[in-house]
Amino acid sequence: MSKGDLTKEHIVAQAAPIFNRSGFAGTSLSELMAATGLQKGGIYRHFKSKEELAAAAFDHAWRRAWNARWSGIDKNAGAIGRLKQFVANFIDNRAELVPGGCPVLNTAVDSDDGNLALRDRARKALTRWIRRIEQIVSAGIASGEIRSNVDPRVAATILVATLEGALMIGRLQRSNLALEQAREYLIGFLEGLANAGRKEAPAVRSSKSLE
Amino acid sequence: MSKGDLTKEHIVAQAAPIFNRSGFAGTSLSELMAATGLQKGGIYRHFKSKEELAAAAFDHAWRRAWNARWSGIDKNAGAIGRLKQFVANFIDNRAELVPGGCPVLNTAVDSDDGNLALRDRARKALTRWIRRIEQIVSAGIASGEIRSNVDPRVAATILVATLEGALMIGRLQRSNLALEQAREYLIGFLEGLANAGRKEAPAVRSSKSLE
């Protein structure tokens, strides 16, 4: 890696938590300079614009989130086991994310009239994310593990929506409760997808820890 | 209503979409002046600070969201009918919200180091919202309509999380698809709470409109 590449990587790593916390419009050059220890010229020697730096910062933050959420997935034999691991990773590996939380949630809610290229990047990241879950569900249907009347796209959307919604609730409540409720509910949801699964509707159960 | 109260109401109504779209830090005095047609002194004669105006703007936006989401609820006899109406309202009455979308989602994701009094207000709004759903579920259990092994708090959290998460996905994708998938899924979820409900696990079904 050249010295220039190392500097570029350093800038992105330092900029990522700032953009992730403050949004595109909310991130100031002075914060970027303070975080990187570089002057304006030192930063913009490596990036054409704030837009380009924000996109690189998003990619960095998303790579971290992606790795945290899919870590150890392939150790699980079946589709349902993999998806349960994904749910556990989403909740338990949050400390591995770039500070500021989920970059897709943050970018989705960030001011609409901001950086359109950045929104497009976040949209594509979300689409790939839903698609990866969809593929695991489809593989589970193909192997006979999951019922054939399950729509893989719907299952994937519900998983992501429930987790991201619970993340938002927990962020406002400064509490893990909503995520723990989502975890337990989604385990029931995933078990309910099984061909050989329980025949009763998955109960919205309370666990001892939630009573 | 005094002239002063009318002016105050005018300021709040004009400020609400700006705060809702741009967040607390992202809202500038010049935008507030342009939207209200008032000078700085004209605005701050009615509000002690930007924090106080933002709190009043949140209350205004939340009242609109609350009314849109609970509209016509009591026309439904049972708990499950009421909750289905709530899901439909959440999705179908979005145009009645202050521009910028759900104020709770926006405030939750808005920069953490912003206005703490505003975050507290949003947190309380969310808590009351979850509690109202919880009460409907509890009433359904008391009347025998809903199974007694359903945890009302968990059911309420899952409803809100799934809808808010699908809203976020739809916002990024600029599409209604995730909300329509959430609608169909949540109808199955709500029917699955019924005592006399289907005994099979609610399928994650595809409807013709989603094929």
Side-chain angles (χ1 to χ4, degrees):
Chain A
M1 225 178 191
S2 72
K3 199 181 159 219
D5 286 345
L6 282 171
T7 306
K8 196 167 174 178
E9 200 176 85
H10 165 77
I11 296 169
V12 170
Q14 300 305 310
I18 303 177
F19 280 109
N20 200 38
R21 274 205 205 99
S22 308
F24 177 69
T27 294
S28 69
L29 180 61
S30 60
E31 284 173 290
L32 294 172
M33 284 162 54
T36 57
L38 295 167
Q39 297 300 307
K40 183 178 176 177
I43 294 173
Y44 286 113
R45 184 175 309 135
H46 299 277
F47 299 92
K48 264 184 253 163
S49 60
K50 187 182 175 187
E51 279 76 4
E52 197 182 288
L53 175 53
F58 175 84
D59 288 348
H60 174 89
W62 182 243
R63 204 177 312 118
R64 288 265 295 265
W66 183 270
N67 291 339
R69 290 170 183 171
W70 293 113
S71 153
I73 288 294
D74 295 336
K75 277 188 263 173
N76 301 277
I80 292 172
R82 285 175 189 207
L83 295 171
K84 281 186 184 175
Q85 174 87 58
F86 161 75
V87 168
N89 285 348
F90 184 97
I91 297 169
D92 295 330
N93 296 351
R94 281 173 293 146
E96 293 172 29
L97 268 61
V98 161
C102 178
V104 160
L105 176 61
N106 292 339
T107 308
V109 177
D110 195 19
S111 179
D112 275 0
D113 46 8
N115 181 345
L116 289 179
L118 178 63
R119 288 186 64 79
D120 191 54
R121 228 161 173 113
R123 190 180 55 70
K124 284 179 181 150
L126 175 65
T127 301
R128 275 195 304 270
W129 184 21
I130 291 176
R131 197 158 296 154
R132 169 138 192 209
I133 299 174
E134 208 180 316
Q135 284 162 349
I136 296 174
V137 177
S138 296
I141 294 172
S143 75
E145 183 187 357
I146 293 178
R147 282 180 284 115
S148 58
N149 69 340
V150 170
D151 182 320
R153 177 79 177 274
V154 174
T157 302
I158 295 305
L159 264 183
V160 170
T162 309
L163 287 169
E164 289 284 352
L167 190 66
M168 180 281 281
I169 293 171
R171 195 151 150 181
L172 201 50
Q173 295 182 332
R174 299 208 189 284
S175 153
N176 288 327
L177 181 62
L179 278 167
E180 290 304 331
Q181 291 172 329
R183 184 207 300 269
E184 193 174 2
Y185 173 73
L186 289 174
I187 288 172
F189 166 78
L190 291 170
E191 289 174 352
L193 303 182
N195 236 332
R198 298 171 293 144
K199 288 294 173 212
E200 275 185 78
V204 184
R205 296 156 303 160
S206 89
S207 75
K208 288 197 179 65
S209 64
L210 302 177
E211 268 164 13
Chain B
M1 224 179 191
S2 73
K3 200 183 158 220
D5 286 344
L6 282 171
T7 307
K8 196 167 173 175
E9 202 176 83
H10 164 77
I11 295 169
V12 170
Q14 300 305 311
I18 303 177
F19 280 109
N20 201 37
R21 274 206 206 99
S22 308
F24 177 69
T27 295
S28 69
L29 180 61
S30 61
E31 284 173 289
L32 293 172
M33 284 163 54
T36 58
L38 294 167
Q39 295 301 307
K40 182 179 175 177
I43 294 174
Y44 286 113
R45 184 177 306 133
H46 299 278
F47 299 91
K48 263 183 253 164
S49 60
K50 187 182 175 188
E51 280 76 4
E52 197 182 289
L53 175 54
F58 174 83
D59 288 348
H60 174 88
W62 182 243
R63 204 178 310 117
R64 286 266 294 267
W66 183 270
N67 291 340
R69 290 171 184 173
W70 293 112
S71 156
I73 288 293
D74 295 336
K75 278 188 262 170
N76 302 278
I80 291 173
R82 285 176 188 205
L83 295 171
K84 282 185 183 176
Q85 173 87 59
F86 161 76
V87 169
N89 285 349
F90 184 96
I91 296 169
D92 296 329
N93 296 351
R94 280 173 293 146
E96 293 172 29
L97 267 60
V98 161
C102 177
V104 160
L105 176 61
N106 292 339
T107 308
V109 177
D110 195 20
S111 178
D112 276 359
D113 46 8
N115 181 346
L116 289 178
L118 178 62
R119 289 187 63 79
D120 191 55
R121 229 160 173 116
R123 190 181 54 71
K124 284 179 181 150
L126 175 65
T127 301
R128 276 195 303 269
W129 184 21
I130 291 177
R131 196 159 296 155
R132 172 141 188 207
I133 299 173
E134 206 180 317
Q135 284 164 348
I136 297 174
V137 176
S138 296
I141 294 172
S143 75
E145 183 187 357
I146 293 178
R147 283 180 284 115
S148 59
N149 67 341
V150 170
D151 182 320
R153 176 78 177 274
V154 175
T157 301
I158 294 305
L159 263 183
V160 170
T162 309
L163 287 169
E164 290 283 353
L167 191 65
M168 181 280 281
I169 292 171
R171 196 151 148 180
L172 201 49
Q173 295 182 332
R174 300 208 187 285
S175 154
N176 288 326
L177 181 61
L179 278 167
E180 290 304 332
Q181 292 173 329
R183 184 206 300 269
E184 194 176 1
Y185 173 73
L186 289 175
I187 288 173
F189 166 78
L190 291 170
E191 290 175 350
L193 303 181
N195 237 331
R198 298 172 291 144
K199 286 295 174 216
E200 275 186 77
V204 184
R205 295 157 304 162
S206 89
S207 75
K208 289 199 175 62
S209 64
L210 301 176
E211 269 162 15

